[in-house]
């Protein structure tokens, strides 16, 4: 032990050190239907029971897709879109966009297939709050309902939402596991002594002072601790303890099971990669024309569409979503959509050289890998 340790004073043995941040295993009673929770802070998944009936895709539904006409853009629209694009690039001159000569505006057929699977997930876990005499909705009022029997108001379909509620009749009052019901815990900074050794003089109360150029030296009283060798602990303000950070001095905690219900729209898109000069990621930020929308509890793969790759992707995605979501989630609705995303390849000449750019999306965005002028001075 350090020679100055005894100068820091004794600590109060009645004040407990901090306990675990979460209740230890076995601290809380089991609640029927929620036995997987042992007091930890992490929520546990609650697998949905098998449905009263197994919904099946409706085989007699018309999943054939009508033929559509590829949209085209005029020269005025293409020029206007390019001018808007150039204005967003401070290094580009608008002169080429105003004076270019179009050679060809080539519309390209681009389909985007989208599958949406709207799911409901339920998880639960033990939570607690300081007990101040509030009502305790415990098992004396009845048995807690099963996790998937608790009614919840459904949000608008295909919109994400999270709601948290207390499971009825799951509450109980327990002694605080952090402070063992004391309401306060030992200050870990000063180990309950209320004071700490002065770091300026290392607890000696004085500091060595170097003298003049002749080499004389001596000691002087430490100005930081005023010669005491110790200072008041600023963490606990000299008390040696702190109010319990878990129960806030209430000594008891109200424990309850919190049910978390998550509605999520799981969306997956696919666009065939057939334009090597156009980056497909550009399609993510634009919209198309949804000429085919199929909505049901479970949708059936697309059939008879002219683009066979779309049919194949529809079947693959639907099967993957069923495998991914049926065990841990409850599927509430599915929707599959085919959009025609406008894409036009504009070829033009300027100053005797050939260039091109793409106009894409209903928004008429522009992608240009090359532009005639990168000069900021017109």
């Amino acid at each position: 032990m350090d020679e100055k340790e005894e100068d820091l004073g004794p600590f109060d043995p009645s004040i407990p050190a901090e306990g675990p941040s979460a209740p230890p295993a076995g601290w809380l009673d089991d609640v029927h239907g929620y036995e997987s929770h042992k007091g930890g802070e992490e929520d546990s998944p609650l697998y949905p029971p098998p449905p009263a009936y197994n919904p099946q895709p409706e085989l007699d539904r018309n999943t054939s897709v009508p033929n559509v006409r590829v949209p085209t853009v005029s020269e005025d629209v293409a020029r206007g879109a390019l001018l808007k694009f150039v204005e967003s690039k401070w290094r580009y001159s608008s002169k080429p966009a105003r004076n270019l000569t179009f050679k060809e505006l080539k519309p390209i057929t681009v389909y985007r297939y989208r599958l949406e699977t709207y799911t409901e997930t339920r998880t639960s876990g033990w939570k607690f709050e300081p007990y101040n005499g509030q009502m305790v909705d415990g098992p004396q009022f009845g048995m807690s309902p099963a996790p998937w029997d608790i009614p919840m108001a459904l949000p608008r379909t295909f919109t994400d939402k999270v709601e948290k509620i207390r499971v009825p009749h799951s509450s109980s009052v327990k002694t605080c596991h952090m402070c063992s019901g004391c309401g306060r815990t030992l200050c870990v900074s000063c180990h309950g002594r209320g004071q700490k050794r002065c770091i300026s003089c290392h607890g000696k109360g004085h500091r060595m002072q170097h003298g003049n150029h002749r080499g004389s030296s001596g000691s002087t009283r430490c100005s930081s601790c005023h010669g005491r060798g110790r200072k008041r602990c600023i963490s606990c303000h000299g008390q040696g303890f702190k109010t319990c950070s878990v129960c806030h001095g209430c000594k008891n905690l109200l424990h309850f099971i919190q049910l978390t219900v998550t509605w999520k729209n799981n969306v997956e898109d696919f666009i065939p990669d057939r334009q090597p000069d156009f980056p497909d990621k550009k399609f993510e930020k634009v919209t198309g024309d949804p000429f085919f929308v199929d909505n049901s509890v479970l949708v059936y793969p697309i059939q008879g569409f002219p683009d066979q790759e779309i049919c194949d992707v529809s079947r693959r995605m639907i099967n993957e979503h069923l495998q991914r979501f049926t065990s841990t989630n409850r599927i509430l609705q599915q929707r599959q959509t085919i959009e025609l995303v406008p894409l036009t390849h504009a070829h033009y000449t300027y100053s005797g050289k050939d260039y091109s750019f793409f106009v894409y999306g209903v928004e008429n965005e522009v992608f240009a890998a090359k532009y005639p002028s990168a000069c900021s001075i017109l």
Side-chain angles (χ1 to χ4, degrees):
M1 180 182 292
D2 192 284
E3 61 180 357
K4 285 287 183 179
E5 187 72 25
E6 64 274 8
D7 293 343
L8 297 179
F11 63 89
D12 187 348
S14 67
I15 304 175
E18 288 188 353
S21 60
W27 188 265
L28 302 170
D29 301 328
D30 282 338
V31 176
H32 181 67
Y34 305 85
E35 289 85 353
S36 61
H37 309 119
K38 300 301 180 183
E41 296 179 353
E42 295 294 327
D43 280 5
S44 300
L46 301 167
Y47 301 113
Y53 73 99
N54 289 320
Q56 297 292 330
E58 299 177 28
L59 300 180
D60 59 344
R61 287 172 60 87
N62 181 18
T63 54
S64 60
V65 183
N67 292 323
V68 294
R69 187 169 58 185
V70 180
T72 59
V73 297
S74 65
E75 292 188 359
D76 288 341
V77 171
R79 191 186 305 273
L82 183 60
L83 281 167
K84 182 180 177 182
F85 168 77
V86 168
E87 289 173 359
S88 67
K89 309 291 183 181
W90 67 271
R91 295 187 303 111
Y92 286 1
S93 166
S94 61
K95 183 178 178 181
R98 290 196 306 265
N99 297 289
L100 62 82
T101 301
F102 283 107
K103 294 176 60 180
E104 181 185 15
L105 295 176
K106 182 180 179 182
I108 302 170
T109 303
V110 177
Y111 297 116
R112 172 163 55 199
Y113 175 78
R114 173 175 292 144
L115 177 63
E116 300 168 84
T117 299
Y118 192 53
T119 59
E120 178 182 336
T121 307
R122 297 194 176 194
T123 60
S124 65
W126 280 105
K127 308 297 176 183
F128 54 78
E129 63 184 26
Y131 177 64
N132 292 302
Q134 61 266 44
M135 177 187 171
V136 181
D137 181 16
Q140 68 271 23
F141 294 104
M143 181 179 293
S144 294
W148 288 89
D149 289 342
I150 298 176
M152 299 293 294
L154 290 175
R156 187 163 54 90
T157 311
F158 301 113
T159 58
D160 293 352
K161 188 177 182 181
V162 177
E163 281 198 17
K164 300 177 184 292
I165 64 167
R166 295 189 184 191
V167 173
H169 319 322
S170 67
S171 300
S172 60
V173 176
K174 300 285 186 180
T175 300
C176 177
H177 54 271
M178 175 69 82
C179 65
S180 301
C182 185
R184 56 188 185 179
T185 56
L186 207 67
C187 176
V188 296
S189 182
C190 66
H191 304 288
R193 291 181 168 83
Q195 47 193 348
K196 301 178 70 174
R197 178 154 310 129
C198 176
I199 60 174
S200 297
C201 66
H202 305 289
K204 297 178 180 179
H206 58 86
R207 301 172 66 181
M208 296 301 297
Q209 185 177 37
H210 295 289
N212 55 26
H213 62 279
R214 295 179 181 176
S216 61
S217 62
S219 63
T220 182
R221 184 185 184 195
C222 178
S223 59
S224 180
C225 66
H226 305 290
R228 291 192 298 269
R230 58 188 184 274
K231 297 179 68 175
R232 183 186 187 193
C233 176
I234 60 174
S235 182
C236 64
H237 306 291
Q239 298 182 52
F241 63 86
K242 291 182 175 182
T243 300
C244 177
S245 61
V246 171
C247 70
H248 304 302
C250 295
K251 303 182 181 180
N252 294 306
L253 295 172
L254 176 65
H255 295 265
F256 56 90
I257 295 178
Q258 180 175 270
L259 179 69
T260 301
V261 184
T262 303
W263 293 276
K264 182 174 177 57
N265 191 28
N266 303 275
V267 185
E268 194 170 357
D269 289 339
F270 173 80
I271 290 182
D273 184 10
R274 297 172 185 168
Q275 295 300 320
D277 297 330
F278 183 83
D280 290 337
K281 287 189 70 67
K282 295 287 185 181
F283 287 125
E284 295 177 2
K285 296 184 178 181
V286 296
T287 56
D289 175 24
F291 63 91
F292 175 80
V293 179
D294 181 27
N295 196 329
S296 183
V297 175
L298 293 177
V299 296
Y300 193 74
I302 299 294
Q303 293 180 335
F305 189 58
D307 190 328
Q308 183 59 40
E309 190 172 6
I310 295 294
C311 298
D312 296 340
V313 165
S314 171
R315 181 176 301 278
R316 175 180 61 80
M317 280 191 184
I318 290 173
N319 289 334
E320 288 177 352
H321 278 217
L322 290 177
Q323 293 176 9
R324 189 189 316 166
F325 300 120
T326 50
S327 61
T328 58
N329 306 264
R330 177 175 283 173
I331 296 179
L332 303 177
Q333 196 79 6
Q334 283 189 316
R335 179 168 61 193
Q336 59 181 346
T337 308
I338 301 179
E339 289 179 307
L340 185 62
V341 185
L343 179 65
T344 298
H345 198 178
H347 299 267
Y348 67 95
T349 60
Y350 179 75
S351 296
K353 295 183 179 180
D354 291 336
Y355 299 92
S356 71
F357 64 93
F358 290 91
V359 182
Y360 63 100
V362 172
E363 298 83 355
N364 287 331
E365 296 290 331
V366 165
F367 169 73
K370 292 182 179 180
Y371 186 70
S373 172
C375 177
S376 61
I377 302 177
L378 301 186

